[in-house]
């Protein structure tokens, strides 16, 4: 099992440029963070089977943002698992294509209605804090586990060999806003910085971010 931290698994078999994470909840259920490109559901289902994880035990899907490489398999994963889905209220509207998104990056393939719309700072079950980190997209969210000092960054950051950087302006709605979000995340105490593309960084997350935001 590609367990990168206790209870946190990087799903194997999906497109290697994307990091779909599976988080063990207290008890026997699981939380999926983002769902990968369209067709990633095939690899995710195969991975669950290989690990002996009942798809129905995946009770929750957290979505960082609307881009297709994050929600591409959302509908299929809901069908497979019956999980409840969570997104920031702004992003939930764009994932459901009401209205259709018109910013940069790959748009959703199909509208999906999100079950639970959270707002900035909401604490979800299991002590996960949802931080609205706009810039890359309007309702982009990073998910923080304060007890474990882990941050799922979505596309706020992109992992390189020299450390995390902001995702390139080509795919980002408003880079200055992303800088503000990055500064806010740099105020958290972070060990593991779990980036979706590139990385992830399993230690020294705060130090990485302090170095990054100094350059803005
Ligand atoms: Zn993105």
């Amino acid at each position: 099992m590609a367990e990168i931290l206790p209870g946190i698994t990087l799903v194997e078999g999906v497109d290697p440029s994307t990091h779909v994470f599976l988080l063990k909840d207290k008890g026997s259920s699981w939380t999926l963070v983002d769902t990968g490109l369209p067709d990633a559901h095939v690899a995710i289902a195969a991975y669950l089977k290989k690990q002996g994880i009942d798809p129905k035990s995946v009770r929750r899907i957290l979505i960082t943002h609307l881009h297709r490489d994050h929600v591409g398999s959302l509908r299929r994963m809901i069908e497979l698992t019956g999980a409840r889905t969570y997104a920031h209220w702004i992003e939930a509207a764009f994932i459901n294509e009401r209205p259709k998104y018109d910013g940069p990056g790959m748009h959703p393939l199909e509208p999906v209605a999100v079950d639970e719309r959270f707002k900035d700072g909401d604490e979800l079950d299991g002590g996960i804090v949802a931080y609205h980190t706009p810039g890359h997209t309007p309702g982009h969210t990073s998910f923080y586990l304060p007890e474990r000092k882990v941050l799922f960054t979505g596309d706020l950051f992109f992992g390189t060999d020299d450390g995390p950087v902001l995702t390139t302006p080509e795919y980002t709605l408003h880079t200055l806003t992303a800088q503000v979000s990055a500064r806010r995340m740099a105020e958290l105490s972070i060990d593991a910085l779990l980036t979706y593309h590139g990385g992830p960084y399993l230690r020294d997350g705060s130090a990485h971010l302090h170095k990054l935001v100094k350059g803005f």
Side-chain angles (χ1 to χ4, degrees):
M1 188 180 234
E3 193 175 50
I4 56 169
L5 293 166
I8 300 177
T9 299
L10 190 52
V11 175
E12 293 171 330
V14 300
D15 186 303
S17 73
T18 61
H19 294 158
V20 176
F21 295 103
L22 199 52
L23 171 67
K24 184 99 174 67
D25 299 328
K26 290 192 178 93
S28 57
S29 65
W30 297 82
T31 294
L32 192 66
V33 184
D34 285 335
T35 65
L37 287 155
D39 295 336
H41 64 281
V42 176
I44 299 170
Y47 182 77
L48 293 174
K49 192 171 181 187
K50 188 175 147 200
Q51 301 303 329
I53 297 171
D54 178 357
K56 300 291 179 205
S57 67
V58 179
R59 301 262 172 80
R60 181 165 61 173
I61 300 172
L62 308 182
I63 297 296
T64 61
H65 67 294
L66 64 90
H67 282 150
R68 190 179 302 173
D69 49 339
H70 297 254
V71 301
S73 291
L74 179 56
R75 183 177 60 78
R76 295 299 201 100
M77 287 310 300
I78 295 167
E79 288 168 3
L80 178 73
T81 63
R84 288 189 77 71
T85 53
Y86 293 71
H88 185 274
W89 62 271
I90 294 176
E91 215 69 355
F94 289 125
I95 292 167
N96 203 20
E97 298 191 306
R98 295 185 181 181
K100 275 182 182 278
Y101 188 60
D102 66 351
M106 283 191 298
H107 298 168
L109 266 186
E110 56 189 352
V112 178
V114 171
D115 298 312
E116 304 284 347
R117 299 167 191 82
F118 54 72
K119 59 187 189 308
D120 177 53
D122 278 359
E123 187 174 324
L124 312 179
D125 278 354
I128 302 173
V129 182
Y131 282 114
H132 183 207
T133 48
H136 181 67
T137 61
H140 186 283
T141 299
S142 302
F143 296 101
Y144 183 52
L145 307 180
E147 282 177 21
R148 305 184 52 186
K149 302 186 179 182
V150 170
L151 186 72
F152 296 93
T153 77
D155 286 358
L156 172 59
F157 304 113
F158 179 93
T160 76
D161 290 345
D162 296 325
V165 296
L166 287 183
T167 297
T168 175
E170 183 187 352
Y171 301 116
T172 292
L173 182 66
H174 196 246
T175 294
L176 288 179
T177 302
Q179 287 184 359
V180 176
S181 293
R183 282 189 195 286
R184 186 173 180 222
M185 293 301 97
E187 292 171 6
L188 300 175
S189 178
I190 299 168
D191 290 334
L193 201 61
L194 302 185
T195 40
Y196 190 79
H197 305 288
Y201 308 90
L202 300 185
R203 57 187 71 84
D204 301 326
S206 289
H208 280 303
L209 293 189
H210 292 158
K211 186 176 165 207
L212 175 67
V213 303
K214 252 189 212 166
F216 296 157

